[in-house]
Amino acid sequence: MEQYDIAVIGSGPGGYVAAIRSAQLGYKTVIIEKYDSLGGTCTNVGCIPTKALLDSTHHYAEAHHKFQEHGIKLDQIELDFSQMYKRKAEVVSKNTGGLDFLMNKNKITRLKGTASFVNNTTLKITNEAESIHITAQNYIVATGSKPSTIPGVEIDKKRIITSTEALSLNEKPKSMVIIGGGVIGVEMASIFNRIGTQVTILEYADHLIAAMDHDLGKNLQKILKKEGIDIRLNHAVYKTESSDSEAKVFFKDKNGAEDQLEAEHILVAVGRSPYTKGLGLENTEVQTDERGFIKVNENNQTSVSHIYAIGDVIGGAMLAHKAEEEGVLVAETINGQKRHIHYSRIPSVVYTWPEVASVGYSEEYLKKNNIPYNVGKFPFSASARARASMDMDGFAKVLVDPKYGEVLGVHIIGARAADLIAQGVIAQEYEVTAEDMFRISYAHPTYSETLKEAYLIASGQGAVNI
Ligand code: FAD
Ligand code: NAD
């Protein structure tokens, strides 16, 4: 039986980063993945393909709605749906190819098959051809998550689908109802609405992207509504039905009034559940919580000290970069290093247009916990850069401690917010003040100046720029 120092189960962003860092630290490392391609949810059916389609459809929408004002006339703008999906597939395959290269470069053994614990120390790996056993001194479980559903809603993968099936459609749907106005809901709504699908979002909460600062969801709602998406908040879905050609969704508003809609597809985006099926946890002493997430301590150790777990399978923010941080933490912890992750400083991004990005505490959190704060908010409509590019929707908002000026939260909705948020992460990670942030130089004209102005306002000074 082959013996390894570290065996990583699952090759998503948690697993592949953990394997690479383990190999860099000199450990004999194996990575086990049940699918042919590496990269997990993020690379194959998550972050990467959605961003490829969001970019393509953004170009298409710009060509329709903005080019003329920029002085660009096109005779005919036509959607080639299959080419759009083909390009998306090529982007995915370039990324999975990059991961193959990195595994070889770092001399990581790659095994294809489903990994299942036989006991606390031995793993069985089964594929179509064979079944083998291996042992490792340390295991890192990074098996990720799968889409959840709600009672009364059965995902048939044809009419009632998840984001995974939406990423491999053969033709543009005429209509789509999306259950859930969270991150997947609004990203998928943007993709399909931009290419002419009639999109409705049914959301149980009274905000879109309700986990983020509520100002962001409110503003996003206005923008998406203006673009033609039918958004119904305070609506709870309780049942769906499907036939060969269409699907129906049944829901209630907050007063209990019932209604229903028909659509070509109903896309279920109500969250994701930990994936531990077939992993054989029942043969170990690893514990899970009531929702099935693997329980870990601050070093990501499970109740069996040499079995670690990271990423979506342990819960918390289901984000690729959170899984990656945990992958590095575990490899370095095994190596005897002392590491710590500040979870409140992990940014969240929604890739609508404009983008939405957040790090730190929301205004709702500060209010609820009686933490005093000052707000600095600056609109993109007052930014010279935003006016030049015609991207004037949104704002930058900073929440600052009134006494010492410490940056408590940064929330942006606006062009390139996904990239701008890195600055907010640095501000919080190094505990600098709002004054530190407005005294540094910002290139003019840039979207980043909206943050400088927000820091100035939060510090009691007026804005200085346009
Ligand atoms: P996963 O990426 O889920 O990988 C787990 C891997 O383990 C899979 O490949 C699976 O096949 C394998 N596996 C499972 N069980 C076994 C077993 N027993 N044996 C062998 N292999 C096994 N996050 C962001 O940060 N940014 C985004 O833009 C973003 N966009 C997203 C868009 C969509 C549509 C979705 C669904 C998710 C998105 N996410 C995004 C979330 C992100 O994809 C996840 O947080 C991330 O993939 C979690 O990484 P992971 O390594 O924990 O697990
Ligand atoms: P989510 O938790 O963000 O949103 C689910 C939404 O569904 C919630 O707003 C909830 O109120 C609503 N809902 C639940 N039951 C309902 C019902 N019966 N009727 C109507 N609405 C209902 O989950 P998601 O959008 O499925 O995304 C899953 C995970 O994937 C998230 O944790 C997210 O972090 C990750 N993800 C991240 C990105 C990104 O980083 N850009 C993109 C996509 C997905």
Side-chain angles (χ1 to χ4, degrees):
M1 191 168 21
E2 192 72 33
Q3 293 189 347
Y4 295 91
D5 296 329
I6 298 180
V8 180
I9 307 170
S11 72
Y16 71 73
V17 168
I20 292 168
R21 190 70 192 117
S22 301
Q24 284 173 344
L25 290 167
Y27 295 110
K28 183 181 173 190
T29 306
V30 58
I31 189 163
I32 305 126
E33 170 56 56
K34 61 195 269 198
Y35 291 119
D36 288 333
S37 65
L38 299 178
T41 305
C42 179
T43 313
N44 294 285
V45 290
C47 328
I48 304 304
T50 50
K51 267 78 262 179
L53 290 181
L54 279 158
D55 281 335
S56 297
T57 56
H58 178 59
H59 292 314
Y60 182 68
E62 295 263 295
H64 264 292
H65 306 299
K66 287 198 177 159
F67 275 19
Q68 213 166 350
E69 204 170 333
H70 276 288
I72 305 163
K73 280 194 179 167
L74 295 176
D75 282 344
Q76 209 187 349
I77 306 162
E78 217 180 302
L79 177 75
D80 184 344
F81 188 82
S82 347
Q83 168 57 24
M84 202 176 262
Y85 269 57
K86 186 168 157 259
R87 192 195 78 93
K88 180 252 342 169
E90 284 163 7
V91 172
V92 169
S93 104
K94 284 203 179 105
N95 280 278
T96 56
L99 291 175
D100 294 340
F101 168 81
L102 284 173
M103 293 304 134
N104 292 336
K105 184 174 170 238
N106 288 287
K107 301 190 172 47
I108 296 165
T109 304
R110 195 177 147 182
L111 297 176
K112 198 214 146 192
T114 301
S116 186
F117 284 100
V118 176
N119 51 44
N120 282 338
T121 51
T122 310
L123 201 64
K124 182 166 91 170
I125 296 143
T126 311
N127 59 33
E128 309 80 33
E130 58 177 359
S131 198
I132 61 163
H133 288 78
I134 64 162
T135 60
Q137 275 178 10
N138 292 285
Y139 291 96
I140 305 177
V141 178
T143 51
S145 63
K146 290 276 174 206
S148 305
T149 190
I150 44 177
V153 175
E154 200 183 317
I155 295 161
D156 62 18
K157 299 195 178 182
K158 289 190 186 105
R159 294 285 150 212
I160 309 203
I161 60 175
T162 69
S163 52
T164 304
E165 293 73 48
L167 291 167
S168 56
L169 294 174
N170 295 322
E171 56 185 32
K172 182 188 99 176
K174 288 189 191 63
S175 55
M176 180 181 281
V177 174
I178 300 177
I179 311 177
V183 194
I184 294 185
V186 296
E187 288 190 356
M188 285 289 161
S190 297
I191 291 174
F192 290 102
N193 176 60
R194 288 172 190 163
I195 58 172
T197 301
Q198 188 196 325
V199 177
T200 306
I201 297 178
L202 298 172
E203 167 57 52
Y204 176 73
D206 57 1
H207 284 90
L208 291 179
I209 48 169
M212 296 173 93
D213 188 287
H214 287 181
D215 255 1
L216 299 173
K218 277 188 210 157
N219 204 266
L220 183 66
Q221 184 189 344
K222 275 192 208 144
I223 294 165
L224 297 183
K225 206 173 154 202
K226 204 168 64 188
E227 287 171 4
I229 301 175
D230 178 4
I231 300 168
R232 306 193 194 183
L233 302 175
N234 298 303
H235 280 72
V237 170
Y238 62 90
K239 192 171 79 170
T240 53
E241 284 173 1
S242 61
S243 67
D244 275 353
S245 57
E246 234 175 16
K248 265 190 202 164
V249 56
F250 299 79
F251 48 94
K252 287 181 189 166
D253 69 12
K254 65 176 170 193
N255 302 316
E258 297 188 2
D259 204 348
Q260 63 186 68
L261 280 173
E262 280 180 27
E264 206 172 307
H265 289 291
I266 290 166
L267 193 156
V268 184
V270 295
R272 294 176 61 88
S273 312
Y275 189 65
T276 52
K277 197 174 151 204
L279 188 57
L281 287 185
E282 62 284 4
N283 303 323
T284 69
E285 284 149 70
V286 172
Q287 288 175 7
T288 54
D289 70 13
E290 61 289 347
R291 291 188 298 158
F293 290 107
I294 296 180
K295 285 192 196 174
V296 293
N297 66 13
E298 69 283 3
N299 291 325
N300 286 73
Q301 263 167 322
T302 67
S303 21
V304 180
S305 62
H306 64 274
I307 303 180
Y308 295 78
I310 59 172
D312 282 9
V313 77
I314 63 165
M318 289 188 164
L319 297 172
H321 44 285
K322 177 259 193 190
E324 290 173 15
E325 287 304 318
E326 290 172 341
V328 172
L329 178 140
V330 168
E332 294 183 352
T333 300
I334 292 169
N335 190 241
Q337 302 178 34
K338 294 256 176 292
R339 277 292 313 275
H340 178 69
I341 296 173
H342 291 122
Y343 283 97
S344 71
R345 295 168 191 168
I346 290 182
S348 295
V349 173
V350 186
Y351 293 82
T352 45
W353 194 267
E355 292 169 339
V356 187
S358 224
V359 64
Y361 299 122
S362 66
E363 214 174 328
E364 292 73 35
Y365 177 91
L366 295 175
K367 265 189 201 142
K368 197 172 155 207
N369 290 282
N370 293 319
I371 301 170
Y373 61 93
N374 285 342
V375 186
K377 199 167 164 184
F378 191 79
F380 270 58
S381 58
S383 148
R385 183 72 192 90
R387 275 199 292 270
S389 67
M390 282 176 67
D391 287 306
M392 290 178 293
D393 283 324
F395 56 80
K397 166 172 157 179
V398 298
L399 304 171
V400 169
D401 171 67
K403 199 163 171 198
Y404 302 107
E406 189 181 338
V407 180
L408 303 171
V410 178
H411 308 284
I412 312 167
I413 174 164
R416 301 283 164 225
D419 296 294
L420 295 179
I421 202 65
Q423 191 237 52
V425 177
I426 296 170
Q428 293 196 20
E429 196 63 51
Y430 294 99
E431 297 179 359
V432 300
T433 65
E435 181 170 352
D436 294 325
M437 294 310 288
F438 72 67
R439 293 230 179 264
I440 54 175
S441 172
Y442 290 68
H444 178 70
T446 56
Y447 303 119
S448 69
E449 288 171 299
T450 58
L451 278 167
K452 177 171 184 150
E453 301 304 323
Y455 288 121
L456 276 163
I457 295 165
S459 309
Q461 297 194 27
V464 294
N465 214 326
I466 49 151

mmCIF file of all heavy atoms in Angstrom, residues 180-194:
data_model
loop_
_atom_site.group_PDB
_atom_site.id
_atom_site.type_symbol
_atom_site.label_atom_id
_atom_site.label_comp_id
_atom_site.label_asym_id
_atom_site.label_seq_id
_atom_site.Cartn_x
_atom_site.Cartn_y
_atom_site.Cartn_z
ATOM 1 N N GLY A 180 -34.512 32.433 -5.451
ATOM 2 C CA GLY A 180 -33.377 32.893 -4.649
ATOM 3 C C GLY A 180 -32.712 34.103 -5.288
ATOM 4 O O GLY A 180 -32.276 34.035 -6.439
ATOM 5 N N GLY A 181 -32.667 35.187 -4.523
ATOM 6 C CA GLY A 181 -31.996 36.406 -5.001
ATOM 7 C C GLY A 181 -30.688 36.616 -4.268
ATOM 8 O O GLY A 181 -30.318 37.724 -3.918
ATOM 9 N N GLY A 182 -29.968 35.506 -4.016
ATOM 10 C CA GLY A 182 -28.622 35.589 -3.433
ATOM 11 C C GLY A 182 -27.612 35.780 -4.559
ATOM 12 O O GLY A 182 -27.953 36.261 -5.646
ATOM 13 N N VAL A 183 -26.375 35.365 -4.285
ATOM 14 C CA VAL A 183 -25.290 35.630 -5.246
ATOM 15 C C VAL A 183 -25.519 34.906 -6.573
ATOM 16 O O VAL A 183 -25.442 35.509 -7.651
ATOM 17 C CB VAL A 183 -23.934 35.199 -4.648
ATOM 18 C CG1 VAL A 183 -22.806 35.783 -5.460
ATOM 19 C CG2 VAL A 183 -23.818 35.640 -3.225
ATOM 20 N N ILE A 184 -25.832 33.610 -6.508
ATOM 21 C CA ILE A 184 -26.043 32.865 -7.759
ATOM 22 C C ILE A 184 -27.256 33.442 -8.489
ATOM 23 O O ILE A 184 -27.227 33.653 -9.703
ATOM 24 C CB ILE A 184 -26.234 31.360 -7.488
ATOM 25 C CG1 ILE A 184 -24.929 30.776 -6.937
ATOM 26 C CG2 ILE A 184 -26.667 30.615 -8.764
ATOM 27 C CD1 ILE A 184 -24.925 29.284 -6.730
ATOM 28 N N GLY A 185 -28.323 33.729 -7.744
ATOM 29 C CA GLY A 185 -29.550 34.260 -8.343
ATOM 30 C C GLY A 185 -29.296 35.505 -9.174
ATOM 31 O O GLY A 185 -29.699 35.578 -10.337
ATOM 32 N N VAL A 186 -28.608 36.487 -8.597
ATOM 33 C CA VAL A 186 -28.442 37.753 -9.338
ATOM 34 C C VAL A 186 -27.404 37.628 -10.461
ATOM 35 O O VAL A 186 -27.537 38.286 -11.499
ATOM 36 C CB VAL A 186 -28.111 38.953 -8.408
ATOM 37 C CG1 VAL A 186 -29.262 39.235 -7.459
ATOM 38 C CG2 VAL A 186 -26.813 38.757 -7.647
ATOM 39 N N GLU A 187 -26.393 36.766 -10.274
ATOM 40 C CA GLU A 187 -25.418 36.599 -11.378
ATOM 41 C C GLU A 187 -26.094 35.907 -12.565
ATOM 42 O O GLU A 187 -25.932 36.310 -13.723
ATOM 43 C CB GLU A 187 -24.185 35.817 -10.899
ATOM 44 C CG GLU A 187 -23.296 36.635 -9.969
ATOM 45 C CD GLU A 187 -21.938 36.001 -9.641
ATOM 46 O OE1 GLU A 187 -21.655 34.853 -10.077
ATOM 47 O OE2 GLU A 187 -21.159 36.636 -8.946
ATOM 48 N N MET A 188 -26.849 34.859 -12.277
ATOM 49 C CA MET A 188 -27.531 34.129 -13.357
ATOM 50 C C MET A 188 -28.595 35.016 -14.019
ATOM 51 O O MET A 188 -28.757 35.001 -15.240
ATOM 52 C CB MET A 188 -28.198 32.870 -12.789
ATOM 53 C CG MET A 188 -27.217 31.779 -12.475
ATOM 54 S SD MET A 188 -26.583 31.082 -14.013
ATOM 55 C CE MET A 188 -25.117 30.297 -13.452
ATOM 56 N N ALA A 189 -29.315 35.792 -13.197
ATOM 57 C CA ALA A 189 -30.338 36.694 -13.742
ATOM 58 C C ALA A 189 -29.688 37.674 -14.713
ATOM 59 O O ALA A 189 -30.231 37.957 -15.790
ATOM 60 C CB ALA A 189 -31.032 37.445 -12.605
ATOM 61 N N SER A 190 -28.518 38.177 -14.362
ATOM 62 C CA SER A 190 -27.822 39.137 -15.234
ATOM 63 C C SER A 190 -27.444 38.485 -16.559
ATOM 64 O O SER A 190 -27.689 39.043 -17.635
ATOM 65 C CB SER A 190 -26.555 39.657 -14.557
ATOM 66 O OG SER A 190 -26.902 40.359 -13.398
ATOM 67 N N ILE A 191 -26.865 37.293 -16.489
ATOM 68 C CA ILE A 191 -26.443 36.600 -17.715
ATOM 69 C C ILE A 191 -27.628 36.479 -18.676
ATOM 70 O O ILE A 191 -27.559 36.879 -19.836
ATOM 71 C CB ILE A 191 -25.873 35.192 -17.393
ATOM 72 C CG1 ILE A 191 -24.542 35.312 -16.667
ATOM 73 C CG2 ILE A 191 -25.741 34.330 -18.665
ATOM 74 C CD1 ILE A 191 -23.968 33.991 -16.165
ATOM 75 N N PHE A 192 -28.738 35.931 -18.186
ATOM 76 C CA PHE A 192 -29.837 35.590 -19.104
ATOM 77 C C PHE A 192 -30.662 36.817 -19.494
ATOM 78 O O PHE A 192 -31.084 36.937 -20.636
ATOM 79 C CB PHE A 192 -30.679 34.452 -18.515
ATOM 80 C CG PHE A 192 -29.905 33.167 -18.531
ATOM 81 C CD1 PHE A 192 -29.309 32.665 -17.382
ATOM 82 C CD2 PHE A 192 -29.710 32.483 -19.724
ATOM 83 C CE1 PHE A 192 -28.547 31.501 -17.420
ATOM 84 C CE2 PHE A 192 -28.952 31.325 -19.772
ATOM 85 C CZ PHE A 192 -28.366 30.834 -18.617
ATOM 86 N N ASN A 193 -30.865 37.744 -18.570
ATOM 87 C CA ASN A 193 -31.619 38.954 -18.918
ATOM 88 C C ASN A 193 -30.911 39.730 -20.031
ATOM 89 O O ASN A 193 -31.555 40.241 -20.948
ATOM 90 C CB ASN A 193 -31.765 39.828 -17.667
ATOM 91 C CG ASN A 193 -32.453 41.138 -17.964
ATOM 92 O OD1 ASN A 193 -33.594 41.143 -18.417
ATOM 93 N ND2 ASN A 193 -31.778 42.247 -17.729
ATOM 94 N N ARG A 194 -29.580 39.795 -19.959
ATOM 95 C CA ARG A 194 -28.846 40.575 -20.960
ATOM 96 C C ARG A 194 -29.000 40.022 -22.373
ATOM 97 O O ARG A 194 -28.861 40.757 -23.342
ATOM 98 C CB ARG A 194 -27.354 40.589 -20.602
ATOM 99 C CG ARG A 194 -27.019 41.439 -19.420
ATOM 100 C CD ARG A 194 -25.569 41.207 -19.055
ATOM 101 N NE ARG A 194 -25.226 41.813 -17.778
ATOM 102 C CZ ARG A 194 -24.137 41.477 -17.095
ATOM 103 N NH1 ARG A 194 -23.309 40.552 -17.553
ATOM 104 N NH2 ARG A 194 -23.880 42.071 -15.956
#
